[in-house]
Amino acid sequence: MSGGAPCPILVINLRSSTARWAKASAELTAAGLAFERLEAADGRILPAEELARLAPPNAGAFFKPLSPGEVGCFLSHVAAAERIVREGWPRALVLEDDFLLGPDFTRRLEDLLALPGEPFDLIKIEGFLRGGQTVAVTPGGQRLRRHRRPPSRTAAQLWSLAGARRFLATARPFLRPVDVHLKHWWEHGVEVVYVDPPLVGDGDAAGVTSTIGARAAEGFAGACRRVAYKAKFAFASHGHYLFRRGFLPWLRSLAG
């Protein structure tokens, strides 16, 4: 990847999603950024036995089986992390193709990359939460915050090399959607922080053009499993955050 960007930028895009690619390309080009397309894995075309091998249902880990689209999404982010590790990139930005760049995006990204010290494993630059602990402030005034439950979605993520390695070490098998997997930080050891305010918006907030096709929990039993999973996650995230971060940071996270 040549110059024109403060770090390598990979854009995950399905071969069939030509309109999304045109829009993503136009946004990044207008921002003066070099980027590279990473072809997304299409879980919808994988054989059933391959889907079962990659994402065996596990009621103890998640309340419903992953959809083929969710498997493909996870595979795509694994491929992005593998590329980061293979190239030895210290930092790399991974975008899904439904992003909307915020104002002055390039300068704000440069501010993040210029923070002193060891880089955070993963900085989510899209998504918002209330509460959390401020762990750094960029020269431009952006706050990096840590929370017991990081923002959902994986539309825009700034990885470090160490973070990509930690992610790959625990990614398989796919027991949860990739964004939910990353929220279980105490299991995989990836330190996740997020930018406040976010640098990137959601270009498909209603999911109109999404190809993931997440399965809903079916019936009363499915709803009960969903409630049980949420309760289990809340208990574990509160407990681990309190133990690892201390009482005051945990108390701040309650606002979210």
Side-chain angles (χ1 to χ4, degrees):
M1 189 175 296
S2 60
C7 70
I9 298 175
L10 299 175
V11 182
I12 296 173
N13 170 254
L14 278 171
R15 181 180 300 179
S16 58
S17 296
T18 54
R20 280 189 172 213
W21 176 242
K23 180 177 175 298
S25 300
E27 283 217 41
L28 291 167
T29 299
L33 294 169
F35 56 94
E36 182 177 331
R37 179 177 175 272
L38 178 69
E39 184 164 338
D42 192 344
R44 299 169 299 180
I45 65 173
L46 293 176
E49 58 271 19
E50 179 67 2
L51 290 170
R53 183 187 69 81
L54 290 167
N58 186 323
F62 200 51
F63 62 92
K64 60 183 178 66
L66 271 63
S67 71
E70 287 171 327
V71 175
C73 183
F74 211 135
L75 275 172
S76 301
H77 282 277
V78 165
E82 288 174 337
R83 178 71 188 282
I84 293 167
V85 171
R86 186 166 63 249
E87 300 290 347
W89 290 330
R91 309 293 293 278
L93 177 61
V94 178
L95 299 170
E96 295 175 352
D97 60 8
D98 56 349
F99 63 85
L100 288 173
L101 298 186
D104 204 12
F105 174 80
T106 302
R107 185 184 63 80
R108 296 172 72 194
L109 176 60
E110 289 170 344
D111 278 351
L112 284 180
L113 294 166
L115 282 169
E118 286 296 312
F120 294 100
D121 288 342
L122 175 59
I123 302 176
K124 285 180 170 274
I125 65 172
E126 185 256 355
F128 175 77
L129 288 175
R130 298 187 183 277
Q133 175 191 10
T134 298
V135 294
V137 180
T138 71
Q142 303 162 88
R143 292 174 293 174
L144 267 67
R145 310 190 85 174
R146 183 188 292 124
H147 200 284
R148 67 171 181 86
R149 53 171 183 84
S152 299
R153 291 178 42 83
T154 49
Q157 304 193 133
L158 182 61
W159 284 99
S160 73
L161 179 57
R165 285 174 172 152
R166 290 191 181 98
F167 170 62
L168 291 173
T170 60
R172 289 185 171 91
F174 305 159
L175 301 181
R176 308 174 181 105
V178 63
D179 59 333
V180 180
H181 172 77
L182 289 170
K183 293 174 76 166
H184 286 249
W185 50 267
W186 60 92
E187 295 181 4
H188 48 63
V190 176
E191 183 181 21
V192 184
V193 298
Y194 63 98
V195 178
D196 179 18
L199 278 65
V200 172
D202 182 359
D204 187 25
V208 174
T209 63
S210 175
T211 57
I212 291 178
R215 292 170 174 160
E218 296 180 356
F220 179 73
C224 289
R225 288 194 298 270
R226 184 171 185 267
V227 170
Y229 166 76
K230 286 193 167 186
K232 181 179 178 182
F233 175 85
F235 180 80
S237 62
H238 277 295
H240 286 283
Y241 202 90
L242 178 61
F243 178 75
R244 296 194 189 188
R245 303 302 179 190
F247 179 75
L248 286 179
W250 170 75
L251 197 62
R252 294 188 190 103
S253 78
L254 295 180

